[in-house]
Amino acid sequence: MKKYIFIFILLIPIQGYCQNISDQVINAFSTSYASESVKDYDKAIKDIKQVYSDKSYEINLRLGWLYYEDKNYDQSILYYKQAIKLKPSSVEAMLGYAYPASAIQKWDELFAMYQKALTIDPNNATVNYRLALMFYYKKEFGNAEKQLARNLEHFPFDYDNTLLMAQVKLAMGKISDSKHYYQKALLYNPSNDEIKKVLSKL
């Protein structure tokens, strides 16, 4: 009996922490999705703003996305940042933030956000790939190689990571390794003429 009383006591704060979501909020999301489906982003935003709360992670995340779709990137960033403030461990919100940040080329802020995301989820495939891509364009090929190696350890036959690794190895002058990764990418997509063209020159 004491065991069940103990479990019940433990459940009380958990249940108290979870708040019900009102029908009004659910309906607002429903109408917002309908508006978004016909690309009426102004209406989709207004639908959500009618129930706005700066304490709601979901509402701020939704507005971040909708303002991005509406090409209002500064506003999008503000709402994504609010979502991150509410849920500091949300890699989901950090990846959302990446869309408007990329659109207005806030590369330093984006790089810092990706680094923060990796402290939470070191093996996040999307973040590792995007960081590798940033390193590649910055010509920091050793760092790009390191990020891609982490991904390829878990997803050895992933096309995007394999192809980028081939490009990184080539840029580093590691011709044999580069050829190996280009061949592996060709296994994934045998009809890719660009890969065949590169391989013919290696």
Side-chain angles (χ1 to χ4, degrees):
M1 182 68 178
K2 289 182 179 179
K3 178 182 177 182
Y4 295 113
I5 292 172
F6 178 70
I7 293 172
F8 178 72
I9 291 170
L10 282 178
L11 286 174
I12 290 174
I14 297 171
Q15 291 171 343
Y17 179 79
C18 297
Q19 296 180 345
N20 288 332
I21 298 172
S22 70
D23 289 341
Q24 185 182 8
V25 172
I26 293 170
N27 289 337
F29 270 74
S30 178
T31 55
S32 178
Y33 291 136
S35 299
E36 182 188 8
S37 70
V38 293
K39 302 187 184 304
D40 189 348
Y41 301 121
D42 285 341
K43 175 67 165 53
I45 289 167
K46 287 176 184 176
D47 293 333
I48 296 296
K49 281 204 159 183
Q50 289 176 358
V51 293
Y52 180 73
S53 166
D54 62 359
K55 300 292 192 295
S56 170
Y57 168 81
E58 293 80 11
I59 286 174
N60 282 280
L61 191 76
R62 175 77 178 140
L63 285 172
W65 171 251
L66 288 172
Y67 274 111
Y68 167 73
E69 288 277 80
D70 200 36
K71 296 182 169 42
N72 189 335
Y73 302 124
D74 289 328
Q75 281 295 103
S76 176
I77 283 174
L78 286 176
Y79 284 107
Y80 274 123
K81 282 185 173 179
Q82 180 62 16
I84 293 166
K85 181 179 177 182
L86 292 167
K87 299 281 186 183
S89 296
S90 174
V91 175
E92 173 186 57
M94 294 175 194
L95 288 172
Y97 166 91
Y99 290 112
S102 296
I104 55 179
Q105 300 183 1
K106 287 183 173 282
W107 302 124
D108 290 340
E109 291 181 25
L110 181 55
F111 184 82
M113 188 66 77
Y114 282 150
Q115 294 281 35
K116 181 180 177 182
L118 285 185
T119 65
I120 299 164
D121 184 8
N123 293 318
N124 187 286
T126 301
V127 175
N128 277 307
Y129 176 78
R130 290 181 182 176
L131 264 179
L133 202 57
M134 292 181 81
F135 281 130
Y136 177 74
Y137 285 121
K138 290 166 69 176
K139 300 188 185 305
E140 296 182 22
F141 303 122
N143 287 328
E145 182 184 39
K146 181 180 177 182
Q147 298 296 146
L148 290 169
R150 183 178 294 175
N151 267 0
L152 288 168
E153 182 179 348
H154 300 288
F155 303 95
F157 196 38
D158 178 80
Y159 179 73
D160 291 331
N161 284 279
T162 299
L163 184 56
L164 183 55
M165 183 65 98
Q167 294 169 313
V168 167
K169 295 286 191 181
L170 184 60
M172 296 174 78
K174 298 180 178 180
I175 306 302
S176 179
D177 288 346
S178 176
K179 185 174 182 179
H180 167 75
Y181 282 104
Y182 272 122
Q183 288 172 334
K184 187 181 281 194
L186 198 60
L187 280 180
Y188 190 98
N189 185 5
S191 63
N192 190 310
D193 291 332
E194 287 298 316
I195 294 176
K196 291 177 184 177
K197 184 177 179 180
V198 173
L199 277 171
S200 70
K201 297 178 180 179
L202 295 182

